[in-house]
Amino acid sequence: MPGKHMARRRVAILISGRGSNMAALVAAARGADYPAEIALVLSNRSDAKGLATARAAGVATAVVDHKAFGKDRVAFEAALQRELDVHRIEIVCLAGFMRLLTPDFVARWHDRMLNIHPALLPAFKGLDTHARALAAGVKIHGASVHFVVPEMDSGPIIAQGALAVRADDTAEALEARVLAIEHRLYPMALRLVAEGRVRVEEGRCLIDGARRADEVLLSPASAGLNPPQDN
Ligand code: GRF
């Protein structure tokens, strides 16, 4: 746990849309003992709904419109990096940020850039994860927070949240239950990273001083979202 005098890590959240995960991180960071502060919400779209949410919460926002850079991803990322520098950002959280990042940008934020993905990685990388999980007939599904590497939805897994798939589930119903898990999972994972407790060894995250599995895992029971087993 950080001491009272330990500076909180300065975090930027990158969004492209609704920003409900961003809002969950902002809410968590209001906690007196939370080891990170949300210093910037940055979007590649000026019409991202989450920007208004962030402003209403008193968080600094910025827009770097990717369309202004055409196909020049390096120039787009240089503009992103300028904003991150101006706000002295130490950790980046991708939260529904719909642009692929170049290996150079990813390398610059090596083990300091997190992403949340709505599936239990390494299953169901990419889009439409809930419909694909239903089509595959998996009985357990969920969300993952991982460090970003150049390959999409890969990278060392920091924390995961799981739930039971119901026989009558629709993609929308699953999405809603997974999203509720995401909103608890991302603050948990960012806490661990901001506390400096996450080490990456051979592509796997090791959590220093993890006493309980529920520091890195929201399971159907601990997530409180599934009926308890009778036994
Ligand atoms: C979430 O489902 C997240 O897992 C995925 O994109 C969605 C973003 O939703 N990467 P929101 O913008 O955080 O509400």
Side-chain angles (χ1 to χ4, degrees):
M1 296 295 286
K4 275 205 177 75
H5 31 267
M6 193 181 266
R8 307 212 275 168
R9 301 268 78 82
R10 293 177 64 80
V11 172
I13 307 176
L14 271 55
I15 65 170
S16 298
R18 175 179 59 182
S20 70
N21 278 289
M22 175 276 296
L25 289 168
V26 167
R30 287 211 189 94
D33 74 337
Y34 200 76
E37 65 178 290
I38 310 307
L40 176 67
V41 170
L42 180 52
S43 177
N44 64 309
R45 299 181 58 115
S46 58
D47 61 352
K49 291 221 162 51
L51 286 171
T53 313
R55 285 188 203 112
V59 178
T61 62
V63 175
V64 176
D65 184 349
H66 65 277
K67 291 196 292 295
F69 299 90
K71 289 196 188 324
D72 191 348
R73 287 163 77 194
V74 171
F76 168 62
E77 290 174 352
L80 288 181
Q81 185 63 47
R82 271 195 295 281
E83 290 294 341
L84 299 175
D85 289 343
V86 164
H87 293 270
R88 305 191 317 281
I89 297 305
E90 300 166 281
I91 298 171
V92 171
C93 289
L94 306 182
F97 184 67
M98 302 304 283
R99 305 303 299 172
L100 287 178
L101 297 165
T102 65
D104 279 350
F105 187 85
V106 170
R108 185 191 279 253
W109 288 94
H110 182 71
D111 290 353
R112 296 187 300 145
M113 181 154 60
L114 289 63
N115 182 45
I116 187 156
H117 180 72
L120 291 174
L121 292 172
F124 308 120
K125 298 176 181 182
L127 298 175
D128 297 324
T129 56
H130 309 300
R132 287 160 56 214
L134 282 181
V138 295
K139 305 304 178 217
I140 190 163
H141 181 50
S144 308
V145 177
H146 64 94
F147 283 122
V148 175
V149 297
E151 196 186 328
M152 193 180 62
D153 299 330
S154 302
I157 294 165
I158 302 163
Q160 292 188 302
L163 49 68
V165 178
R166 298 171 184 160
D168 60 351
D169 257 329
T170 60
E172 293 71 31
L174 254 191
E175 179 180 7
R177 297 211 309 290
V178 170
L179 195 62
I181 287 198
E182 292 181 40
H183 295 162
R184 296 173 57 191
L185 188 70
Y186 215 164
M188 266 173 59
L190 176 59
R191 170 185 283 281
L192 292 172
V193 173
E195 286 175 348
R197 294 174 56 199
V198 183
R199 269 182 302 132
V200 180
E201 278 183 17
E202 295 176 2
R204 295 183 308 158
C205 286
L206 303 179
I207 314 297
D208 287 336
R211 288 166 300 279
R212 306 181 317 266
D214 62 6
E215 284 195 271
V216 289
L217 171 67
L218 291 173
S219 65
S222 73
L225 298 171
N226 291 66
Q229 308 279 332
D230 27 355
N231 56 3

